[in-house]
Amino acid sequence: MSFETKRRNILQLMRDRELNDHIKTKYALKNNLNNKCISKLGLLTNLNGHQGCVNCLQWNGSGSTLASASDDFQVILWDPFAHKIKTSIKTLHRGNIFTVKFLPNCNDDVVATGAADWNSHTYNLTTGKRLSICTCAEGRVKRIAVANDTPSVFWSASEDGIIRQHDMRMNHECSSDHNKIGILSIYNYEGERIEAKCLDINQLRTEQLAVGANDPYVRLYDRRMVPSLSLIPNHKAFPELYSGLVFNSNSDLNRSKKAKRTLDDVVQYFVPGHIHPDRPELPPNKNKNIGITYLTFSPDGQELLVNYGSEYVYLYDLSKQVQDAFSNVPKVMKVYRENGEGTSKDTLFNPIPATHTKLPLKVEELKLKANQYFDKQEYTAAINFYNYAIHIFKSSSVLFSNRAAAYIKRKWQGDYYAALKDCVTALKLDPDHMKAHFRLIVCLYELRMLDDSKMYLEEFKKRFPSYNTSEAFLTIHSNIHHSIRRKKEALIEEEKLRKIISEVVKDRNLAQEPQNTLEPYLRKKANDYHQRYYGHCNTSTDIKEANFFGSQSQFIVAGSDDGLFFVWDKYTENNLLVLKGDSSIVNCVQPHPSEFMLATSGIDNEVKLWTPLPEDLDNKHEIKQYNATALLNQRRMVADPFELFMNGMRRSVEEEMDADNMNEARSMLEQFYGYRLS
């Protein structure tokens, strides 16, 4: 449901704010922020005062003060409306400051900081004095989080893989109480501790703690039950969770069920299905350096927004379990033939014929426009129009199947998987949709799910025999069978090599029992993403943010390695605006809590404030050609760093559309949204 359909009457909000202080912020946003304002977003002012890169920004609760921290070891408090410094603190850190947070219920007078010197500090903003120091971390402190209902307490994530809870009301001696404040550790598949990069607390359910590390998995914990994870590293507590284990007694089975139920309550994992590291069959070299640089809960506590290094921004729905597309592909089972000889495979599609509803006029117009751009091989433009059409009307298998075709043709990172998700949806809406079935086969093949692609190819031959002589069918048929033969040959060679290695290890008496962890179980159950946002590039820094923006969190904002920051429509995933925010890299994007204002920072020594510009003022920071920018960033994301340097990837690229086509597309989309688009 779009935010327009959920809009409350403004008069009702005006009355409610007189009775409830909490309504005040919502009213201010409702009254000031709408879609048209996004198109007018421009630079208000530069805030100068730092002597190094500005690595973190944080608004206080009322939005009257903006805190920034930098490589110059300073924390500066700004008046965002007077555009001047309120106060500055020369901290006692001896490393770049990566995170700053106002502590709740401290009258906006206390901030916590974390830095590259492995320390976390707290400071009184009135006196400038340091209140506390923690040196327990054995790695850079990258993020700090607070809970609004828990005064004088904050949590930190550091690159030693430990999440710590700091309580200023309790005495703490790092030398003697080193392990007391660590509440959990982050481990990988092999049971080795990995770097924690970011964390956040759900402000509406403050027991929920989300953690991002230098792997693709988001870990969502219930803080109240975290102590039950203390034995996870050696996995002695829950051995029953491993598949293939034979239970010796009924008590073991009961204990297994109890352990499993408890574990699901304690922690959940989330990961985009196409970058799942535990799927070795997926195309290689795509998840090599993928880690999480930032994550944040939505204001309503129902969603989690995650920015991935070397990938895109993804939105997870916390209100329901979302299986990956591979699990949602229509199930196939073996059915014995009547004569008892051999088996045949029948797809369990819904046998009920689909009802083909006529598309609403507006949706039909958007679909036709998308088809035109598809025919011109302008696939990004086509996808944008399909996105708008699907946002309005979600019951058409044709729209999902057509968008899948555009993803398949464009071939950007993650596109084959996005196409697979669309094919699954299309087949749920219409089990007899021939093109969706065929495109599903193509996606499975490109994602190296060769056995599945062959299985559905055989089903396709039976269901749509008239298509079996087409060039497209013959091509995919040949490709699948050729790839399966090569896979079998590779497996034979791999098995030979494994035997040789096994003998060498045995001779040298180096065989070791693999370390057991809960990772295999938790990864297998990981939830898939709901939405994705692309066009930016996130490969150069590990502190790049992404945040919700708008009265209904209807926009998504994130920085980029090309000095730009991007604004997307949350529901359609389409880009609405691109602005130049830094000479090199934009890392921080922090929306004001109540006003239509956005603060950004990056490699430059300044903080920038953005608000709507007057109608008659030209926006010099706006980037007009989104498609060219997104295409260049896509190349940057998948390029080898040496190749990137040698080829000078910062040069401009040719626009995908000619000027006339771009203007025509923009005009139609402006009619859809009711305001000017970039």
Side-chain angles (χ1 to χ4, degrees):
M1 182 182 296
S2 69
F3 72 92
E4 291 93 340
T5 62
K6 296 187 291 185
R7 183 180 302 161
R8 295 187 63 196
N9 187 289
I10 193 67
L11 295 177
Q12 182 68 37
L13 278 171
M14 291 175 67
R15 189 188 71 173
D16 289 350
R17 68 173 180 159
E18 297 174 359
L19 304 175
N20 186 348
D21 289 339
H22 182 68
I23 294 293
K24 182 172 65 175
T25 296
K26 181 180 287 189
Y27 166 78
L29 283 171
K30 287 275 190 180
N31 195 36
N32 290 306
L33 183 54
N34 54 52
N35 285 40
K36 187 174 182 180
C37 290
I38 284 292
S39 68
K40 293 297 179 182
L41 191 65
L43 181 63
L44 173 65
T45 189
N46 294 322
L47 302 178
N48 295 292
H50 284 292
Q51 303 301 315
C53 303
V54 183
N55 302 317
C56 48
L57 302 171
Q58 184 64 43
W59 296 96
N60 66 347
S62 66
S64 62
T65 303
L66 174 68
S68 62
S70 167
D71 290 354
D72 61 8
F73 314 148
Q74 281 194 97
V75 172
I76 296 180
L77 284 301
W78 306 90
D79 184 327
F81 304 105
H83 310 160
K84 64 181 182 180
I85 296 176
K86 287 184 172 182
T87 186
S88 62
I89 298 174
K90 190 69 174 179
T91 72
L92 298 179
H93 283 293
R94 291 297 178 263
N96 302 343
I97 303 176
F98 292 121
T99 179
V100 60
K101 281 283 186 178
F102 287 94
L103 265 61
N105 301 313
C106 293
N107 297 318
D108 294 332
D109 202 33
V110 179
V111 294
T113 58
D117 59 4
W118 300 9
N119 293 345
S120 57
H121 299 175
T122 58
Y123 289 89
N124 183 291
L125 299 180
T126 300
T127 64
K129 292 182 179 181
R130 185 172 65 187
L131 301 177
S132 67
I133 177 174
C134 179
T135 61
C136 291
E138 297 179 356
R140 299 187 298 175
V141 180
K142 298 308 293 286
R143 289 285 173 183
I144 286 173
V146 298
N148 290 334
D149 62 357
T150 312
S152 304
V153 177
F154 65 95
W155 292 261
S156 64
S158 54
E159 291 181 335
D160 59 2
I162 298 179
I163 307 302
R164 293 177 172 85
Q165 179 173 299
H166 310 260
D167 192 336
M168 294 181 61
R169 299 165 298 185
M170 301 175 60
N171 292 328
H172 170 67
E173 295 293 336
C174 294
S175 57
S176 59
D177 301 335
H178 183 75
N179 296 320
K180 288 186 178 180
I181 64 173
I183 61 173
L184 62 91
S185 299
I186 311 301
Y187 293 88
N188 64 9
Y189 191 90
E190 292 80 16
E192 300 171 344
R193 193 182 294 169
I194 58 176
E195 298 177 357
K197 294 291 188 180
C198 51
L199 79 168
D200 194 31
I201 298 284
N202 187 343
Q203 300 304 321
L204 294 188
R205 294 184 59 187
T206 56
E207 73 276 7
Q208 289 188 336
L209 167 67
V211 178
N214 61 334
D215 72 356
Y217 291 99
V218 176
R219 296 157 170 87
L220 179 62
Y221 298 93
D222 186 324
R223 291 191 295 111
R224 301 168 301 183
M225 304 182 70
V226 160
S228 64
L229 295 173
S230 59
L231 296 177
I232 278 184
N234 58 24
H235 193 6
K236 299 301 183 183
F238 306 106
E240 310 90 313
L241 293 177
Y242 278 89
S243 59
L245 184 67
V246 177
F247 295 105
N248 296 321
S249 67
N250 290 332
S251 61
D252 286 339
L253 180 59
N254 292 334
R255 189 159 57 93
S256 171
K257 291 180 178 179
K258 182 179 179 181
K260 181 177 180 180
R261 183 172 61 251
T262 302
L263 180 61
D264 290 342
D265 291 338
V266 176
V267 59
Q268 298 179 58
Y269 275 35
F270 299 82
V271 67
H274 65 289
I275 59 175
H276 202 306
D278 297 334
R279 287 190 178 274
E281 68 276 7
L282 293 180
N285 209 29
K286 296 296 185 184
N287 52 22
K288 183 178 179 181
N289 298 312
I290 296 176
I292 298 171
T293 65
Y294 188 82
L295 48 75
T296 184
F297 288 95
S298 60
D300 64 5
Q302 298 298 308
E303 297 168 322
L304 191 62
L305 187 68
V306 183
N307 199 346
Y308 281 88
S310 301
E311 254 282 345
Y312 305 129
V313 174
Y314 290 90
L315 184 68
Y316 295 103
D317 188 342
L318 305 181
S319 63
K320 57 184 177 181
Q321 300 287 328
V322 180
Q323 290 183 312
D324 62 44
F326 303 114
S327 303
N328 284 321
V329 171
K331 306 299 181 183
V332 174
M333 70 176 183
K334 293 182 179 180
V335 180
Y336 287 97
R337 295 174 182 169
E338 291 182 0
N339 59 11
E341 296 179 0
T343 63
S344 63
K345 296 175 181 177
D346 295 325
T347 306
L348 297 181
F349 288 109
N350 184 354
I352 301 175
T355 57
H356 298 278
T357 306
K358 184 178 180 180
L359 295 178
L361 179 60
K362 183 63 177 180
V363 175
E364 183 67 30
E365 291 176 355
L366 290 168
K367 187 195 79 169
L368 292 176
K369 180 58 67 174
N371 292 348
Q372 292 173 10
Y373 281 107
F374 183 93
D375 293 339
K376 297 174 185 177
Q377 300 183 10
E378 296 167 0
Y379 302 118
T380 298
I383 290 168
N384 288 342
F385 278 100
Y386 288 132
N387 288 345
Y388 285 121
I390 290 171
H391 175 59
I392 298 173
F393 192 76
K394 295 180 172 62
S395 302
S396 170
S397 61
V398 173
L399 292 177
F400 285 100
S401 179
N402 285 5
R403 187 171 67 176
Y407 282 134
I408 291 170
K409 289 291 187 180
R410 190 176 66 172
K411 301 178 183 179
W412 284 10
Q413 189 166 310
D415 275 357
Y416 283 122
Y417 184 73
L420 180 65
K421 289 169 71 77
D422 276 351
C423 289
V424 169
T425 302
L427 289 172
K428 286 181 178 179
L429 293 170
D430 181 2
D432 294 321
H433 197 295
M434 184 269 290
K435 291 183 179 179
H437 194 142
F438 183 79
R439 289 161 185 163
L440 180 140
I441 296 169
V442 173
C443 293
L444 290 171
Y445 167 73
E446 294 293 346
L447 292 168
R448 301 198 177 187
M449 309 294 288
L450 299 179
D451 292 338
D452 287 342
S453 62
K454 179 184 177 183
M455 181 167 55
Y456 285 101
L457 184 70
E458 296 301 318
E459 177 67 21
F460 184 88
K461 288 171 63 176
K462 292 185 293 183
R463 292 173 66 89
F464 310 105
S466 62
Y467 200 72
N468 293 348
T469 58
S470 68
E471 182 180 353
F473 177 86
L474 295 176
T475 298
I476 193 65
H477 183 279
S478 174
N479 290 343
I480 290 174
H481 285 80
H482 176 68
S483 296
I484 289 177
R485 286 195 300 270
R486 291 185 60 185
K487 181 180 178 180
K488 289 181 179 178
E489 294 171 358
L491 288 175
I492 293 174
E493 295 300 321
E494 183 180 332
E495 183 61 27
K496 292 179 180 178
L497 182 60
R498 185 181 293 109
K499 289 181 179 180
I500 295 174
I501 295 175
S502 176
E503 290 299 322
V504 172
V505 171
K506 182 178 180 181
D507 292 342
R508 295 183 180 181
N509 197 27
L510 296 177
Q512 297 181 358
E513 182 181 353
Q515 186 172 9
N516 291 331
T517 73
L518 287 173
E519 282 290 307
Y521 172 78
L522 294 170
R523 292 184 177 204
K524 184 178 180 180
K525 289 171 58 64
N527 293 295
D528 199 11
Y529 72 87
H530 178 58
Q531 304 272 93
R532 70 169 182 157
Y533 309 94
Y534 53 81
H536 67 302
C537 182
N538 181 9
T539 59
S540 299
T541 60
D542 62 355
I543 56 173
K544 202 169 279 91
E545 299 176 349
N547 270 299
F548 296 93
F549 190 30
S551 56
Q552 295 288 333
S553 303
Q554 67 267 42
F555 308 115
I556 303 296
V557 291
S560 179
D561 287 344
D562 51 7
L564 309 178
F565 71 92
F566 291 68
V567 183
W568 295 275
D569 180 285
K570 183 179 114 175
Y571 302 102
T572 66
E573 304 180 3
N574 287 348
N575 177 262
L576 301 178
L577 188 67
V578 182
L579 293 171
K580 183 69 174 178
D582 193 273
S583 61
S584 181
I585 298 173
V586 175
N587 284 320
C588 305
V589 284
Q590 287 290 328
H592 190 279
S594 59
E595 300 294 331
F596 188 12
M597 181 181 290
L598 184 72
T600 66
S601 68
I603 301 303
D604 292 343
N605 299 346
E606 58 192 15
V607 178
K608 291 182 172 65
L609 296 180
W610 307 81
T611 58
L613 298 176
E615 291 282 347
D616 58 348
L617 189 62
D618 183 40
N619 192 347
K620 297 180 180 179
H621 291 79
E622 183 179 0
I623 305 300
K624 301 290 186 180
Q625 307 299 342
Y626 166 75
N627 287 341
T629 301
L631 178 60
L632 177 57
N633 279 334
Q634 171 65 198
R635 293 174 179 174
R636 290 168 59 90
M637 291 272 277
V638 300
D640 179 84
F642 180 75
E643 178 186 355
L644 191 67
F645 173 78
M646 295 299 294
N647 292 336
M649 293 296 287
R650 281 192 176 276
R651 68 181 183 275
S652 61
V653 297
E654 293 293 331
E655 173 55 41
E656 289 181 319
M657 307 180 193
D658 58 50
D660 291 340
N661 288 336
M662 175 63 80
N663 291 335
E664 183 182 6
R666 183 181 293 115
S667 175
M668 190 167 186
L669 295 184
E670 285 171 357
Q671 294 178 18
F672 177 86
Y673 263 133
Y675 70 93
R676 185 176 59 85
L677 293 170
S678 63

